[in-house]
Amino acid sequence: MAELVQRYLDDLVAEYAEVSDGALADYIPELTQVDPSGFGLTLSSSDGFLYESGDARTEFTIQSISKPFTYALALDQVGEEAVDAKIGVEPSGEAFNEISVDDKTKTPKNPMINAGAIASVALVPAAGPDERFAKIRDFYSACAGRPLEFDEDVYRSEKATGSRNRAIAYMLDSFGVLADDPDEVLDVYFRQCSLRVTSADLARMGATLARGGVNPQTGRRVTSTRVVQRTLSVMVTCGMYNAAGDWVSAVGMPAKSGVGGGIVAVVPGRLTLCVWSPALDPQGNSLLGLKALELFAGKTGLSIF
Ligand code: GLU
């Protein structure tokens, strides 16, 4: 069985080795420095065994794949009621960086778009930005099973060009969504997006969700099953930018993608697959990542539906 899985991943990588569609994200200038032909795949079984192929150990920035994990941390630390008072769970159908809130509640529609992700950061209790970032980094590292490093260049590049996120943070502040200074909250958000991961790290982080909050490699309980249940539900409906509907019908797994080119897809109780390929489609999803995951779901019949 192990050999079959490995061969399958190697075949997927070989099949896409020559494909060069899509484009690197360039609105964060530093992201254009990445090799667009990188392609890595990691599958984690529910007991934490990893199958890897291609550039599975190449580091890239986590970007939006950070969002479900900070949301989970906020739920874990302050509880559902406090989180729900500030962030909804409805798909927005809008671009990830839309400057918008829900018409009625004046809170972000969900935690997987930037507005909701910035609100999630502010919900993590801390005495200041450094402590808040340390908590976030520790939480991701506990899910990944190793201490994650931070990419200073990508962070500075995003901070220097992040007017749109600044507009979102100030809008949230004006609606009373952020309990702290918007610039400080945003700085932590930029830092969390600049944490460096490999597809193997993300497979382990996803596997921690697949196992209901226990990292299968370290055996450590990182959060509760209730927190994981809520996080995975929001990933199903809102995790794939404004292509969430297509994703659910074609692949049918809770997932999250990021403009660094990663996509992590979780089959609760069974496995996690992470694909990294930095060339993106117009929605901001990794083009080869989508193709590989569609093929995988079609072949294995692992849609949760
Ligand atoms: N740091 C990026 C931003 O806020 C993350 C976007 C993404 O990966 O979707 O624009």
Side-chain angles (χ1 to χ4, degrees), residues 27-28 63-64 67 96 114 158 165 189 193 241 258-259:
Y27 74 100
I28 301 173
Q63 299 299 340
S64 273
K67 290 170 176 167
F96 68 94
N114 288 12
E158 182 164 21
N165 281 326
Y189 171 72
C193 288
Y241 299 124
V259 296

Side-chain angles (χ1 to χ4, degrees), residues 189-264:
Y189 171 72
F190 290 149
R191 284 194 259 173
Q192 83 170 32
C193 288
S194 301
L195 283 165
R196 301 177 65 90
V197 287
T198 64
S199 72
D201 291 324
L202 286 178
R204 290 207 188 282
M205 291 172 78
T208 303
L209 300 179
R211 282 289 292 266
V214 175
N215 179 323
Q217 177 201 12
T218 62
R220 177 174 161 200
R221 174 162 289 286
V222 176
T223 189
S224 68
T225 49
R226 177 64 202 152
V227 163
V228 170
Q229 188 191 358
R230 167 61 84 87
T231 305
L232 290 174
S233 323
V234 181
M235 287 167 73
V236 171
T237 50
C238 314
M240 296 300 284
Y241 299 124
N242 36 355
D246 284 342
W247 169 266
V248 171
S249 45
V251 181
M253 297 171 194
K256 186 71 199 87
S257 67
V259 296
I263 303 181
V264 63

Side-chain angles (χ1 to χ4, degrees), residues 35-288:
D35 173 7
S37 67
F39 187 36
L41 270 179
T42 305
L43 186 150
S44 171
S45 63
S46 65
D47 58 2
F49 189 84
L50 290 194
Y51 300 87
E52 303 174 59
S53 192
D55 304 314
R57 296 285 166 148
T58 302
E59 289 194 326
F60 52 95
T61 50
I62 189 169
Q63 299 299 340
S64 273
I65 305 173
S66 62
K67 290 170 176 167
F69 293 95
T70 298
Y71 182 60
L73 178 60
L75 288 166
D76 184 273
Q77 301 272 295
V78 297
E80 265 174 45
E81 212 178 308
V83 172
D84 289 347
K86 302 284 187 190
I87 312 169
V89 290
E90 293 302 331
S92 71
E94 294 169 341
F96 68 94
N97 58 0
E98 201 60 36
I99 306 173
S100 70
V101 284
D102 181 84
D103 282 347
K104 283 207 197 81
T105 61
K106 305 294 180 209
T107 57
K109 291 193 182 119
N110 70 69
M112 302 295 134
I113 54 174
N114 288 12
I118 294 166
S120 298
V121 169
L123 282 166
V124 174
D130 289 341
E131 186 183 317
R132 182 168 283 136
F133 178 60
K135 274 191 167 178
I136 289 173
R137 191 212 292 238
D138 288 351
F139 184 71
Y140 296 8
S141 298
C143 294
R146 74 165 184 116
L148 298 179
E149 299 297 331
F150 157 72
D151 192 318
E152 186 82 35
D153 293 337
V154 172
Y155 158 72
R156 288 197 186 286
S157 181
E158 182 164 21
K159 193 169 162 117
T161 54
S163 299
R164 204 174 169 94
N165 281 326
R166 220 158 268 124
I168 293 173
Y170 275 84
M171 169 196 65
L172 295 178
D173 190 46
S174 78
F175 288 125
V177 174
L178 304 181
D180 274 312
D181 177 77
D183 285 310
E184 285 188 3
V185 172
L186 202 59
D187 189 68
V188 175
Y189 171 72
F190 290 149
R191 284 194 259 173
Q192 83 170 32
C193 288
S194 301
L195 283 165
R196 301 177 65 90
V197 287
T198 64
S199 72
D201 291 324
L202 286 178
R204 290 207 188 282
M205 291 172 78
T208 303
L209 300 179
R211 282 289 292 266
V214 175
N215 179 323
Q217 177 201 12
T218 62
R220 177 174 161 200
R221 174 162 289 286
V222 176
T223 189
S224 68
T225 49
R226 177 64 202 152
V227 163
V228 170
Q229 188 191 358
R230 167 61 84 87
T231 305
L232 290 174
S233 323
V234 181
M235 287 167 73
V236 171
T237 50
C238 314
M240 296 300 284
Y241 299 124
N242 36 355
D246 284 342
W247 169 266
V248 171
S249 45
V251 181
M253 297 171 194
K256 186 71 199 87
S257 67
V259 296
I263 303 181
V264 63
V266 178
V267 185
R270 304 189 70 174
L271 57 85
T272 299
L273 186 61
C274 176
V275 187
W276 170 69
S277 166
L280 310 179
D281 73 1
Q283 268 86 31
N285 290 312
S286 165
L287 206 116
L288 290 191

